[in-house]
């Protein structure tokens, strides 16, 4: 009988440990969301509202639209969006990329920009993706200050290289992609 009791106690402790761990993980998740994610969402909502209300996003999109119909123009857009000082400002909520992407999509739909530029255009307007979250992610990961000092610029400068490279790869990957629709 003692063996059966010990087995039941071990199973109960194991299940209790798992439940306790899951419960604490849930508490930590809710705490993280309340402390970090919700204020970040409020900030992004403010930025989106500011950009939409002032018309800055439409102005930028119209300024970039002319460059989107050539590989050189798309590379220029990619480089501009990946400038290490600009990319964290362009990144929150991908607001600028959303507005530019919508405008470019409309222009591609109208036929003003050839359809084969849609894939490279997507990569051209998105090299800033994640650049706004690098400091937040490192803070959530409780990174050392030295890691933040080195990590943030490293990611920002790497996007300056990988952004235009992604445009070129997407350009070549889009060959023949839209021939069946004609």
């Amino acid at each position: 009988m003692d063996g059966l009791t010990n087995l039941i106690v071990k199973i109960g402790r194991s299940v209790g440990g798992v439940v306790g761990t899951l419960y604490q993980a849930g508490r930590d998740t809710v705490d993280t969301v309340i402390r970090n994610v919700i204020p970040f969402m409020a900030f992004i909502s403010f930025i989106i509202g500011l950009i939409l209300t002032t018309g800055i996003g439409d102005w930028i999109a119209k300024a970039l639209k002319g460059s989107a119909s050539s590989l050189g123009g798309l590379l220029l857009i990619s480089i501009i969006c990946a400038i290490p000082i600009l990319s964290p400002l362009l990144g929150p909520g991908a607001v600028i990329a959303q507005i530019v992407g919508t405008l470019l999509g409309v222009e591609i739909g109208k036929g003003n920009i050839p359809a084969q530029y849609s894939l490279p255009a997507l990569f051209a307007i998105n090299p800033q993706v994640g650049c706004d979250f690098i400091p937040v992610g490192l803070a959530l990961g409780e990174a050392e200050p030295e890691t933040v000092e080195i990590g943030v610029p490293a990611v920002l400068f790497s996007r300056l290289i990988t952004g235009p490279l992604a445009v070129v790869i997407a350009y070549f990957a889009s060959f023949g992609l839209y021939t069946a629709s004609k």
Side-chain angles (χ1 to χ4, degrees):
M1 197 60 148
D2 286 334
L4 181 62
T5 304
N6 287 339
L7 179 66
I8 292 173
V9 168
K10 285 182 182 180
I11 291 172
R13 283 185 184 160
S14 299
V15 170
V18 169
V19 170
T21 300
L22 294 176
Y23 179 72
Q24 186 60 40
R27 290 178 62 187
D28 291 345
T29 301
V30 169
D31 184 52
T32 299
V33 167
I34 290 172
R35 292 171 148 233
N36 299 313
V37 176
I38 291 176
F40 185 70
M41 290 171 62
F43 169 72
I44 296 305
S45 297
F46 169 74
I47 295 294
I48 290 171
L50 183 67
I51 288 172
L52 293 176
T53 302
T54 61
I56 292 172
D58 292 332
W59 178 79
I60 292 172
K62 288 176 184 171
L64 294 177
K65 180 179 73 172
S67 301
S69 58
S70 70
L71 179 59
L74 290 172
L75 287 170
L76 179 65
I77 291 171
S78 177
I79 291 169
I80 291 170
C81 289
I83 292 173
I85 295 170
L86 287 179
S87 58
L89 300 174
L90 295 174
V95 177
I96 301 297
Q98 289 175 26
I99 294 169
V100 171
T102 301
L103 184 62
L104 292 178
V106 169
E107 295 301 317
I108 290 169
K110 288 180 182 177
N112 296 337
I113 298 173
Q116 68 263 22
Y117 288 111
S118 59
L119 185 61
L122 171 68
F123 285 95
I125 62 175
N126 282 321
Q128 83 287 349
V129 169
C131 290
D132 59 320
F133 194 73
I134 297 303
V136 176
L138 290 173
L140 288 174
E142 298 176 1
E144 297 291 326
E146 295 83 16
T147 304
V148 175
E149 282 179 24
I150 295 170
V152 172
V155 170
L156 295 179
F157 280 106
S158 72
R159 295 299 287 160
L160 191 58
I161 296 166
T162 60
L165 184 61
V167 171
V168 171
I169 292 169
Y171 178 77
F172 287 112
S174 67
F175 283 179
L177 195 60
Y178 299 99
T179 55
S181 64
K182 289 183 178 180

